[in-house]
Amino acid sequence: MKILRLGQVAIVGGALAMVVACGSDGGSSSPTSAKTPGADDFASAVTQAKGNECERLTKSEVSEVIGPNDGGQHDYELGGCVWTASSGAKDGLVEAIHATVLSKAEYEAVAEIGEPVSGFGDGATYDDGHGELWFPCGSGDFCGIKAKISDPDKRKDVALRLGKSLQGHV
């Protein structure tokens, strides 16, 4: 019985220690304590839908790559739009195409940086492991395509082809 009682005391004591360690600012806030924007702030901004993201690639362009799909939804991973194949998993992977346009700060917070790639201007990169193509577009923005397809031999060609299309729609 004493062991049970000691266990209860340890649990309550641990909970109190956590409360004290976490502390509280008493609900006060001042302009001098405001946090400056960081990578986490920019990454969370990407999750906000902006409107016409799913109009940056045509239905036929996406269907040609992944077949029948959901028509495009806001992409909470990279911002922009993600089209997901409706045929289910193929070789253990549900295929999808991501297309986004981000500010430079958002790009730096979420992009996978790969190797330099030609045909998209200075600073364009492609990461083969993720099938991600990033390139400067618009006025200071960065465009991104992620080709999440089961055939690794076609991934780069798909990303480059869709990247050219995205470049034409921005």
Side-chain angles (χ1 to χ4, degrees):
M1 202 62 163
K2 284 186 177 184
I3 293 175
L4 181 59
R5 180 80 172 146
L6 285 175
Q8 290 173 335
V9 169
I11 290 171
V12 170
L16 286 173
M18 284 180 49
V19 168
V20 171
C22 290
S24 170
D25 66 0
S28 68
S29 65
S30 69
T32 57
S33 68
K35 189 173 101 174
T36 57
D40 290 340
D41 297 320
F42 293 117
S44 65
V46 169
T47 64
Q48 302 301 313
K50 294 175 180 80
N52 63 349
E53 296 101 341
C54 295
E55 296 173 12
R56 293 191 174 124
L57 295 176
T58 67
K59 183 177 180 174
S60 63
E61 288 169 329
V62 174
S63 295
E64 185 178 308
V65 176
I66 61 172
N69 59 77
D70 65 359
Q73 305 295 319
H74 177 70
D75 185 354
Y76 290 96
E77 179 183 344
L78 294 176
C81 188
V82 59
W83 294 263
T84 305
S86 54
S87 58
K90 183 178 183 181
D91 296 329
L93 177 73
V94 176
E95 295 186 319
I97 298 297
H98 303 252
T100 190
V101 178
L102 302 176
S103 70
K104 184 175 182 173
E106 291 170 327
Y107 157 75
E108 290 173 347
V110 301
E112 295 291 338
I113 305 300
E115 299 298 317
V117 66
S118 62
F120 290 91
D122 290 339
T125 60
Y126 176 76
D127 179 80
D128 194 45
H130 296 282
E132 283 188 40
L133 170 69
W134 290 95
F135 55 94
C137 63
S139 55
D141 291 337
F142 279 80
C143 288
I145 291 285
K146 183 174 183 176
K148 187 177 162 187
I149 61 173
S150 60
D151 187 344
D153 296 331
K154 293 182 181 177
R155 201 172 287 142
K156 185 174 184 178
D157 291 336
V158 166
L160 295 174
R161 183 167 31 96
L162 292 178
K164 285 292 182 186
S165 181
L166 177 60
Q167 194 174 39
H169 295 158
V170 175

